[in-house]
Amino acid sequence: MNDRPVSIALFGAFIALSLTITWWAARRTHSRKEFYAAGSALGGFQNGLAIAGDYTSAATFLGVTGLVYSSGFDGLLYAIGFLMAWPIILFLIAEPLRNLGRYTFADVTSYRLSAVPMRSFAAISTLVIVTFYLITQMVAAGNLVQILFGIPYSLAVLLVGVLMTLYVVFGGMLATTWVQIIKAVLLFSGSLLMVTLICSRFGFDLEKLFRTAVALHPQHSAILAPGGFIKDPFSAVSLGIALIFGTAGLPHILMRFFTVPNAQQARNSVLVATTFIGLFYTLLFLLGFGAIAVLRGDPTTREAVQNASGNMVALYLANALGGPVLFGFISAVAFSTILAVVSGLTIAGASAVSHDLYASLLRGGKAKDNEEVVVSRLAACAFGIVSVAMGLLFEHQNVAYLVGLTFAVSASANFPVLLVSLVWKNTTSRGALLGGMVGLATSVSLVVLGPGVWTSVLGLGRAPFPLENPAIISCPAALLTIWVVSSFDHSRTAQLERAAFNAQFVRGELGAQVSVEAAEA
Amino acid sequence: MTHPKRLKGNTDRDPQLAVPLAPESGGVPGKDDLSRRLSIDPNFKALVRERFKLRLILSVMVILLYFSFMLLVAFWPASLASQIIPGSIVSAGIMSGISLIVLSIAFTAIYVIRANTRFERLAQQVLKGTQRDE
């Protein structure tokens, strides 16, 4: 099935292209504004594409296609949750985020609330989320590269680690952005190509495609309806909360709102991103059903897919549709997908260390521009090393629970603190800090106590906490804590923070120009 | 791709950047005056009210649609298995799923278009108003 030379050639071409871009970006990345936010000069369309590229991971592309192949309809459930998060981000936080912050979301939470608690909290939650997410990506990358290109796992992980470090250290946000844009274009056009090829096999008659799929799949028309993926209402709501609100707290996603100059471009970015992501998920759904119709019809491919992991469905499909060339192309695309996401994560992690911890806390905001950039580059190197180490350590571990965990932490720690500090006048630093820590601790411990870790990883039998995803408990717990602690906070600091709400609100609604005019008053 | 002229030296003189209001920075630096003026500015009040209303309505709709769909999946999956279009094998579930995707994009577009036209106009009027007062 594999035509290694084609795959490796395309894989090499992508690496060469991305390194050329990194070199180009490096010549334009000197100040911290350029390093963190690509000079805040991106257009809405570019940024929207980059967001789409940052957000859609290999796990989505390969995983959802594989899920639709085996269970049909259930694959759509993930897609809907991941997509509907985006209008929520737009309506609840996108514009004030752009208007109140510079490089990281901690700029926004520490706008009127005290820097020490807010910055340290943001740094901790960012590092937790970024690290866990990186582990899943490195393990997936190692496995994928090993299968596709025949490179040993450890070498594959090392390669991914080195490349992502190079992109971020030398090219900063500008290189990261362009890697994500290229990945988005490759991924969408590759998927569109495959869907077109599938449709042409069925004379562009979607009815025929679905009928064939239903006929060939062992569960027949059951694949058109929900399977056992969502077992009960609590799991459904919990997963929903994690996906819908978790996206709004992911640090690498929030960082993408500072790469545009103003709120208008931030809005446009979200529209572009939402459109591309929505179209992409629709394509994935068609790919999954197409895979059923194409692969299950041929006994050889059906056998082969059965013996391989679910993630390989998309690749087998590529081979069936366009032979080794298409297989090679889609393999290279899958690889680029991983690099785009890990780069985004690395720069988010590095900025938490250099901007939130070093420049804001340690140096009290007095760090010089190039000093901060140096620290950021060093932090990115550290992330590279740690990611490779983690990838090697977790090679044989089941890391599926980490994805759910990152979204749960994001929905329970970052999102509540960010939202409440923006919309509720009485929020105080004490309340926000304690609420955030409660959200963080609850989500992590409940995941450990849940079936994903307790039963599947630790093998300790029935899990004390019944749900795989803790968001239904941890998110409200965080919100409740913020409310209670803030309401009882009568300190002098709290009073000042409440007094500052109106000014924050005005700035959040109107943007930077307000400060300039007021300053001139 | 356009790229701004690289600013030499300290990029912090960029007017886009927020002046922190946190207590340790000395609290609110004389902005109460501006907030008070704006709170009686009819354009600002209109902007805030209309924007809040649109955001609220659209968010509630998205959340309701999403969670009712998920609860339908959990409680009444058979309803999604039915074929609602005669002659088409595509189930109600698939139709709903695709509709939700289309609606999400549509809601996003509605807000962005409204914000880029009406809300942006109002905001510009408010800002012109603050300039005039000086």
Side-chain angles (χ1 to χ4, degrees), chain A residues 14 50-61 129-130 132-138 140-141 160 164 167-168 176-177 179-181 183-184 187 250-253 256 333-349 387 406-407:
Chain A
F14 177 77
I51 290 176
D54 204 353
Y55 190 60
T56 51
S57 64
T60 313
F61 175 52
I129 292 171
V130 164
F132 287 166
Y133 213 141
L134 272 174
I135 293 174
T136 61
Q137 297 296 303
M138 296 308 276
V160 172
M164 85 187 190
Y167 297 157
V168 175
T176 306
T177 300
V179 169
Q180 288 165 349
I181 291 177
K183 164 260 180 94
L187 188 59
L250 292 173
H252 59 299
I253 297 295
R256 284 242 141 257
V333 169
F335 175 69
S336 76
T337 294
I338 292 174
L339 282 175
V341 175
V342 298
S343 314
L345 288 168
T346 303
I347 197 167
S387 311
T406 50
F407 274 88

Side-chain angles (χ1 to χ4, degrees), chain A residues 42-313:
Chain A
L42 294 178
F45 187 78
Q46 280 173 313
N47 200 42
L49 262 185
I51 290 176
D54 204 353
Y55 190 60
T56 51
S57 64
T60 313
F61 175 52
L62 301 175
V64 170
T65 311
L67 185 58
V68 175
Y69 180 81
S70 52
S71 320
F73 181 82
D74 283 343
L76 198 55
L77 295 175
Y78 256 124
I80 293 172
F82 279 128
L83 178 70
M84 291 186 94
W86 283 96
I88 295 296
I89 293 179
L90 176 64
F91 306 145
L92 296 184
I93 59 177
E95 293 160 291
L97 190 74
R98 166 67 273 197
N99 286 334
L100 292 167
R102 273 185 291 173
Y103 309 125
T104 65
F105 80 90
D107 289 336
V108 177
T109 54
S110 59
Y111 189 83
R112 70 178 166 111
L113 302 178
S114 300
V116 171
M118 290 297 100
R119 295 278 185 189
S120 14
F121 169 72
I124 293 171
S125 69
T126 300
L127 288 175
V128 166
I129 292 171
V130 164
T131 309
F132 287 166
Y133 213 141
L134 272 174
I135 293 174
T136 61
Q137 297 296 303
M138 296 308 276
V139 171
N143 285 322
L144 193 67
V145 173
Q146 184 175 38
I147 292 174
L148 294 179
F149 307 109
I151 297 171
Y153 180 89
S154 23
L155 217 62
V157 168
L158 187 65
L159 179 67
V160 172
V162 165
L163 284 172
M164 85 187 190
T165 309
L166 288 175
Y167 297 157
V168 175
V169 168
F170 292 106
M173 182 55 97
L174 192 57
T176 306
T177 300
W178 280 100
V179 169
Q180 288 165 349
I181 291 177
I182 291 172
K183 164 260 180 94
V185 169
L186 285 178
L187 188 59
F188 299 151
S189 45
S191 308
L192 190 61
L193 178 64
M194 287 214 284
V195 168
T196 313
L197 288 172
I198 290 171
C199 286
S200 70
R201 276 204 185 194
F202 292 92
F204 290 96
D205 181 357
L206 281 178
E207 278 297 311
K208 192 161 163 221
L209 169 65
F210 279 101
R211 275 182 211 282
T212 317
V214 166
L216 289 173
H217 195 281
Q219 278 142 34
H220 300 298
S221 52
I223 60 170
L224 298 174
F229 185 64
I230 298 286
K231 306 166 200 60
D232 62 84
F234 295 108
S235 306
V237 173
S238 208
L239 178 67
I241 292 177
L243 291 181
I244 299 278
F245 299 127
T247 307
L250 292 173
H252 59 299
I253 297 295
L254 295 175
M255 243 187 130
R256 284 242 141 257
F257 286 93
F258 303 118
T259 49
V260 288
N262 51 43
Q264 175 157 18
Q265 294 309 318
R267 291 193 285 265
N268 296 345
S269 310
V270 176
L271 179 57
V272 172
T274 309
T275 308
F276 274 103
I277 294 171
L279 289 174
F280 178 62
Y281 283 130
T282 312
L283 286 177
L284 282 191
F285 189 65
L286 288 173
L287 273 183
F289 270 91
I292 298 174
V294 169
L295 295 175
R296 286 191 190 270
D298 180 336
T300 3
T301 47
R302 190 174 50 219
E303 274 292 322
V305 175
Q306 210 148 320
N307 297 333
S309 91
N311 282 344
M312 294 299 289
V313 170

Side-chain angles (χ1 to χ4, degrees), chain A residues 32-34 41 46 73 84 91 95 102 111-112 115 207 211 224 261 264 267-268 369 506-507 509 517, chain B residues 1 4 6 11-12 14 16-18 21-24 51 55 87-89 91 93 104 111 115-116 120:
Chain A
R32 63 182 173 171
K33 188 173 178 188
E34 287 160 347
Q46 280 173 313
F73 181 82
M84 291 186 94
F91 306 145
E95 293 160 291
R102 273 185 291 173
Y111 189 83
R112 70 178 166 111
E207 278 297 311
R211 275 182 211 282
L224 298 174
Q264 175 157 18
R267 291 193 285 265
N268 296 345
D369 213 288
V506 164
R507 166 92 189 200
E509 289 290 303
E517 263 95 61
Chain B
M1 183 186 93
R6 223 175 302 139
T11 49
D12 277 357
D14 185 338
Q16 294 267 357
L17 302 181
L21 301 179
E24 55 256 26
R51 190 146 66 183
R55 284 175 175 174
S88 168
I89 196 178
S91 62
S104 304
Y111 180 83
N116 285 352
E120 198 59 30

Side-chain angles (χ1 to χ4, degrees), chain A residues 212-482:
Chain A
T212 317
V214 166
L216 289 173
H217 195 281
Q219 278 142 34
H220 300 298
S221 52
I223 60 170
L224 298 174
F229 185 64
I230 298 286
K231 306 166 200 60
D232 62 84
F234 295 108
S235 306
V237 173
S238 208
L239 178 67
I241 292 177
L243 291 181
I244 299 278
F245 299 127
T247 307
L250 292 173
H252 59 299
I253 297 295
L254 295 175
M255 243 187 130
R256 284 242 141 257
F257 286 93
F258 303 118
T259 49
V260 288
N262 51 43
Q264 175 157 18
Q265 294 309 318
R267 291 193 285 265
N268 296 345
S269 310
V270 176
L271 179 57
V272 172
T274 309
T275 308
F276 274 103
I277 294 171
L279 289 174
F280 178 62
Y281 283 130
T282 312
L283 286 177
L284 282 191
F285 189 65
L286 288 173
L287 273 183
F289 270 91
I292 298 174
V294 169
L295 295 175
R296 286 191 190 270
D298 180 336
T300 3
T301 47
R302 190 174 50 219
E303 274 292 322
V305 175
Q306 210 148 320
N307 297 333
S309 91
N311 282 344
M312 294 299 289
V313 170
L315 297 157
Y316 275 100
L317 181 65
N319 190 58
L321 291 171
V325 175
L326 189 59
F327 175 83
F329 177 64
I330 298 297
S331 307
V333 169
F335 175 69
S336 76
T337 294
I338 292 174
L339 282 175
V341 175
V342 298
S343 314
L345 288 168
T346 303
I347 197 167
S351 67
V353 170
S354 58
H355 187 64
D356 295 332
L357 287 180
Y358 180 77
S360 305
L361 283 187
L362 218 70
R363 299 276 278 124
K366 293 185 179 55
K368 279 208 290 288
D369 213 288
N370 47 7
E371 189 185 331
E372 194 171 335
V373 174
V374 165
V375 173
S376 213
R377 294 190 208 257
L378 288 173
C381 288
F383 267 100
I385 296 169
V386 168
S387 311
V388 171
M390 290 278 147
L392 295 174
L393 199 68
F394 281 79
E395 177 178 357
H396 299 292
Q397 300 293 325
N398 170 12
V399 292
Y401 65 93
L402 284 176
V403 180
L405 176 59
T406 50
F407 274 88
V409 169
S410 183
S412 315
N414 285 354
F415 174 73
V417 170
L418 185 58
L419 181 72
V420 176
S421 71
L422 285 175
V423 307
W424 189 44
K425 183 178 180 131
N426 282 350
T427 318
T428 66
S429 324
R430 217 175 275 177
L433 177 67
L434 282 172
M437 295 308 279
V438 163
L440 180 62
T442 317
S443 46
V444 173
S445 42
L446 288 183
V447 166
V448 172
L449 291 173
V453 177
W454 195 266
T455 317
S456 306
V457 176
L458 297 174
L460 293 170
R462 214 172 80 92
F465 183 69
L467 300 175
E468 283 224 13
N469 200 305
I472 196 176
I473 305 284
S474 47
C475 182
L479 289 168
L480 193 69
T481 310
I482 298 177

Side-chain angles (χ1 to χ4, degrees), chain A residues 111 503 514-515 518-519, chain B residues 19 21 28-36:
Chain A
Y111 189 83
V514 160
S515 305
Chain B
V19 175
L21 301 179
V28 182
K31 287 219 168 49
D32 289 334
D33 205 46
L34 178 67
S35 301
R36 217 177 309 126

